[in-house]
Amino acid sequence: GGGCGGGGGGGEPNYDQHGRLRFAPHTVESIWECCLESMCRPGCDNRLVQYGPRFRLEVFRCPPVGRISKGWGIRSPDLIPRGSFVCEYVGEYISDDEAESRGIRYDNQRMSRLMDVYGNGRDAVHMCIDATKFSNVGRFLNHSCEPNVFKQRVFCDHHVRLPRIAFFALVDIPPRVELCYDYGYVDVPGKTMPCLCGAKSCKKLLY
């Protein structure tokens, strides 16, 4: 059944019959999937992110950019069609204050796997997902100034304070092409970090 909705508004279904997002990127703040409180069957079309990736994903060593090592990245041996769910960003949910403390330490180490996340409703809290110690392949998604995936807030459970961060394909992604999204960093006064994405429109700096 494709009768379940609750996505970007108006009760429209979130996904088509192929399991691809029906909304254009960056046009929907939240996606609401069916959960334990829903009256539908477990296999309804509105349950996608909660069941995990459908495409094979592999972590690989990225080629260096000049003399600088880019580190690890993610790609798939499969063609990933536009709008398809790729993976989640999984980690430890921590408070904003704790994230500030850890962020200082991570900055000194020239690495950070913190991602902001907001709950829903009037009492929504600002939290962070820390993927440093507990995570999945999502932590290896690199930045690109020409991204091929984008992040989307998804609610899969009845708990409106803890959304999930899911990544969907922006375009049809050929096999073995690195999967990247735009980190969306804002400028940090007195600090800079080079961008190693290698895209033609690379801005040269993450911040």
Side-chain angles (χ1 to χ4, degrees):
C4 296
E12 298 180 36
N14 294 313
Y15 314 110
D16 65 17
Q17 67 270 30
H18 302 293
R20 300 170 193 168
L21 196 63
R22 295 184 66 253
F23 306 104
H26 312 299
T27 61
V28 175
E29 184 178 60
S30 302
I31 287 176
W32 298 83
E33 293 195 353
C34 293
C35 63
L36 292 174
E37 295 183 346
S38 305
M39 301 301 291
C40 59
R41 60 185 175 84
C44 86
D45 293 342
N46 197 39
R47 299 173 186 264
L48 180 67
V49 171
Q50 60 192 271
Y51 288 146
R54 294 184 173 184
F55 299 93
R56 295 175 294 172
L57 300 172
E58 59 184 27
V59 178
F60 73 104
R61 191 73 178 180
C62 299
V65 178
R67 296 183 177 181
I68 303 177
S69 173
K70 187 176 175 180
W72 300 93
I74 303 178
R75 63 189 178 192
S76 174
D78 307 317
L79 167 68
I80 303 180
R82 177 182 178 182
S84 298
F85 170 56
V86 177
C87 68
E88 282 187 67
Y89 194 83
V90 175
E92 178 186 4
Y93 283 79
I94 60 176
S95 69
D96 205 23
D97 289 342
E98 177 64 20
E100 288 287 341
S101 175
R102 295 187 188 185
I104 294 173
R105 185 168 70 251
Y106 295 158
D107 285 346
N108 291 334
Q109 299 170 354
R110 302 290 290 179
M111 56 81 70
S112 180
R113 295 191 175 95
L114 296 173
M115 181 177 290
D116 292 334
V117 62
Y118 297 86
N120 191 68
R122 288 180 297 177
D123 62 343
V125 293
H126 178 197
M127 304 182 71
C128 277
I129 300 176
D130 186 352
T132 302
K133 293 184 178 180
F134 310 99
S135 189
N136 65 344
V137 294
R139 68 181 279 182
F140 295 107
L141 282 166
N142 286 316
H143 164 84
S144 177
C145 297
E146 296 179 9
N148 53 17
V149 304
F150 69 98
K151 65 179 181 179
Q152 175 68 56
R153 187 171 75 163
V154 180
F155 290 90
C156 300
D157 313 294
H158 66 280
H159 201 317
V160 297
R161 284 176 171 261
L162 296 178
R164 303 187 188 189
I165 300 298
F167 294 96
F168 291 86
L170 265 171
V171 295
D172 292 336
I173 306 174
R176 302 185 68 80
V177 170
E178 185 181 3
L179 307 175
C180 301
Y181 73 104
D182 184 349
Y183 283 7
Y185 283 148
V186 296
D187 290 339
V188 180
K191 295 183 179 180
T192 60
M193 178 175 285
C195 179
L196 304 176
C197 75
K200 291 182 179 179
S201 61
C202 180
K203 301 173 184 176
K204 306 304 179 184
L205 292 174
L206 279 171
Y207 55 78

